[in-house]
Amino acid sequence: MLKMTDIDLSNKKVLIREDLNVPILNGEIISDARIRAILPTLEIALKANCGILIMSHMGRPTEGEYNLDYSLEPIARHLSKLLDKKVKFISDWHNAFDVACGEIALLENVRFEIGEKKNDKTLSQKMADLCDIFIMDAFACSHRAHASTCGIIDYAKIACAGPLLSKELDSLELSFKEPKKPIVAIVG
């Protein structure tokens, strides 16, 4: 499995699929644990002087319909505070926008996109066209055959696993290959 840390990311545009499906109440983030978890991934990309695009979902909105309750804009603001760096929010990534090397942008909720859940090939291609390197770092939704988690891999110039995904897979592999007994497994 190709890992983000195996690739020269210097001066590339990277698209990182994260899981930022966090609880928000009245526009305020209740728990930012998932947001804080992606900070090491972003630090690696920032050190490589990448143009960083982050893609995620939130909730289960109706495809093709914008719903403020599921917008990722509060997450962009929160990420800006945590990184002490401006995180652009791109509400419509289908229109021209620029993210230079060293900059970060969070794209609007992928579940607003028609075809996301059906792993639409055209949508997957459009997502792949945004970057030089696609980094899948969202373990919690890696089992879904969606355009932003699966389909994009078919069209990306380079696709690899991010640190969060790699860590989870390494832990699972260790658990199966060298289990310490007694074992208790909780599957959710």
Side-chain angles (χ1 to χ4, degrees), residues 6-25:
D6 298 331
I7 300 171
D8 179 10
L9 305 172
S10 302
N11 303 311
K12 301 283 194 302
K13 190 171 285 185
V14 299
L15 174 58
I16 308 172
R17 176 54 161 97
E18 296 289 3
D19 182 0
L20 299 173
N21 191 17
V22 300
I24 296 180
L25 182 62

Side-chain angles (χ1 to χ4, degrees), residues 29-145:
I29 296 167
I30 297 170
S31 170
D32 70 350
R34 286 186 175 177
I35 299 170
R36 288 182 180 276
I38 74 167
L39 295 178
T41 302
L42 297 180
E43 293 294 338
I44 292 168
L46 284 169
K47 283 182 184 176
N49 196 39
C50 295
I52 304 166
L53 303 172
I54 305 166
M55 187 174 274
S56 184
H57 74 282
M58 179 175 304
R60 296 174 189 251
T62 302
E63 282 189 1
E65 294 180 22
Y66 175 80
N67 183 330
L68 183 61
D69 293 337
Y70 297 109
S71 177
L72 297 182
E73 191 167 12
I75 294 171
R77 288 193 302 270
H78 193 74
L79 258 177
S80 292
K81 290 177 191 171
L82 291 175
L83 292 167
D84 194 27
K85 181 176 186 63
K86 173 72 175 159
V87 175
K88 293 180 183 181
F89 178 69
I90 310 295
S91 59
D92 180 6
W93 57 266
H94 295 279
N95 290 317
F97 67 91
D98 185 44
V99 176
C101 290
E103 292 183 334
I104 302 175
L106 176 62
L107 308 182
E108 183 58 280
N109 190 340
V110 295
R111 290 206 176 146
F112 290 162
E113 299 294 328
I114 295 173
E116 163 64 3
K117 292 193 294 187
K118 291 183 179 174
N119 197 11
D120 180 76
K121 290 179 181 183
T122 302
L123 181 60
S124 299
Q125 177 72 61
K126 285 180 183 177
M127 291 174 174
D129 289 345
L130 296 173
C131 64
D132 300 308
I133 301 169
F134 172 67
I135 302 166
M136 179 56 180
D137 203 33
F139 178 77
C141 53
S142 62
H143 65 289
R144 299 189 187 280

